[in-house]
Amino acid sequence: NISIGQLCRALRFDRIYMSCYTRVMVLIKAPIIWFNWYNNDRKYTSLDKQAPNDANYRKIDDLNLVI
């Protein structure tokens, strides 16, 4: 899938290739930290400067108000 490929490429270039890891545990935790940043802190222009989790939770809250 093209989206998975782009996500993996972004992870490799943003987090793994740009850092010099001296311990294996730090390397193992790096993707976890990156995915947390990617979903919670990174702001997207297509989501009106919101993080994906903020936009998704807002949609869920809007649906609950309708019901």
Side-chain angles (χ1 to χ4, degrees):
N1 191 349
I2 191 83
S3 299
I4 300 296
Q6 290 173 339
L7 183 66
C8 290
R9 182 174 183 259
L11 171 63
R12 282 194 317 263
F13 284 101
D14 289 350
R15 178 54 74 173
I16 296 174
Y17 291 162
M18 294 300 204
S19 300
C20 179
Y21 297 103
T22 56
R23 297 186 333 219
V24 174
M25 285 307 295
V26 176
L27 177 61
I28 291 171
K29 290 181 182 179
I32 297 167
I33 294 167
W34 186 82
F35 276 112
N36 187 34
W37 167 80
Y38 195 83
N39 289 323
N40 296 313
D41 298 329
R42 184 172 183 247
K43 307 299 182 207
Y44 292 83
T45 306
S46 61
L47 297 175
D48 295 329
K49 300 287 184 181
Q50 293 181 344
N53 280 350
D54 295 339
N56 288 333
Y57 289 132
R58 188 181 73 188
K59 287 180 186 177
I60 291 171
D61 289 341
D62 290 346
L63 288 175
N64 287 338
L65 291 176
V66 172
I67 297 173

